[in-house]
Amino acid sequence: MTEARGSAGDEHARYAPGTPCWVSLMVHDLEATQDFYRELFGWEFREGPQQLGAYVRAVRDGREVAGIGQLPPDRHLSIAWTPYLASDDVDGTADTVRLCGGTIGVGPLDAAEAGRLAIGSDPAGAVFGIWQGGVHVGSVVGGVPGAAVWNELRTFDTVGVAKFYETVFGFEQRPVDSADLDYVTLALDGRPVAGIHGVGNALPRDQGPHWMTYFEVADADESVARLVELGGRVLDPAQDSAHGRVVTVADPEGARFSLVQDPR
């Protein structure tokens, strides 16, 4: 996870195809959700492309880190953070997703001059986005509290779905050599960029396979206390790991994410 951390100046660099470059959340109550993350992460907000409806970009220290949009009143979808993987040709990538057993539910479509996007799902049903950057290349990665530093797919097992992501995005698979842990790190040009964690039947019954976004915080325990005060809840207690102190939580609308405190 730590190898994927970038610097605060990375937001102007173009992401290599396959690299997680943005995270976005669609919610029922956009104003309340902005209030929650403003208080939790210190985010400010800018208006996003009008083609996406009511949509804002979260900003921390002048750098864009994530997006939040308003669901139409008649849409009853699972509320979840969605990572977007970079592409130089979103239409071609969408075609490859379909050929490899995935589906495309939205797009490809333009988001004004910001770029072009599609939203799909892998063969196990986990939702992800595809982003072809225009004016908007993507988010800052690491170095800023409240920025996404890692994305990890939680799924039944790694074997079949890892092959899907390898074929579509050109990832190099790096399986963990362990009898107790079903985990594959996805790398590009030798650099880890995401992970796949096979958890068998331990997946939440109300969610199934899904991507988990890790957001950097200065102090995990203080952030958890603040999150609970704001109406969020703890799903898995904080624990120390080689990558820092990690805790899995949910916001008031139920979107799951993880907080990670850099061990440095």
Side-chain angles (χ1 to χ4, degrees), residues 50-68:
Q50 294 182 351
Q51 286 86 345
L52 301 180
Y55 188 87
V56 295
R57 291 177 182 157
V59 179
R60 178 64 195 261
D61 296 341
R63 300 176 176 89
E64 294 183 347
V65 294
I68 304 176

Side-chain angles (χ1 to χ4, degrees), residues 71-253:
L71 281 170
D74 59 341
R75 298 295 295 274
H76 301 287
L77 302 176
S78 176
I79 308 299
W81 280 102
T82 301
Y84 282 72
L85 308 180
S87 172
D88 289 337
D89 177 7
V90 68
D91 295 80
T93 302
D95 288 340
T96 305
V97 167
R98 296 187 186 99
L99 288 172
C100 293
T103 60
I104 297 294
V106 176
L109 56 86
D110 289 324
E113 72 281 359
R116 189 164 171 80
L117 67 89
I119 300 175
S121 58
D122 64 32
V127 175
F128 61 91
I130 308 166
W131 180 253
Q132 181 179 341
V135 173
H136 176 67
V137 176
S139 63
V140 59
V141 179
V144 176
V149 292
W150 188 250
N151 288 279
E152 181 179 279
L153 175 61
R154 307 279 178 88
T155 190
F156 297 112
D157 62 77
T158 63
V159 177
V161 75
K163 185 63 178 178
F164 167 83
Y165 286 98
E166 177 187 33
T167 303
V168 174
F169 293 104
F171 293 124
E172 172 193 350
Q173 294 187 42
R174 295 182 177 178
V176 172
D177 186 14
S178 170
D180 301 320
L181 181 64
D182 182 15
Y183 198 95
V184 172
T185 299
L186 301 176
L188 291 170
D189 296 326
R191 178 172 177 263
V193 296
I196 302 178
H197 189 184
V199 296
N201 295 323
L203 284 167
R205 292 185 179 180
D206 61 343
Q207 192 166 31
H210 61 280
W211 281 90
M212 175 72 70
T213 298
Y214 290 71
F215 292 98
E216 182 173 338
V217 293
D219 187 306
D221 296 303
E222 287 184 5
S223 296
V224 167
R226 185 62 179 145
L227 174 136
V228 172
E229 290 177 359
L230 295 168
R233 57 195 175 95
V234 176
L235 302 178
D236 292 317
Q239 58 181 335
D240 294 315
S241 74
H243 307 296
R245 191 159 176 78
V246 180
V247 56
T248 302
V249 298
D251 69 18
E253 287 207 21

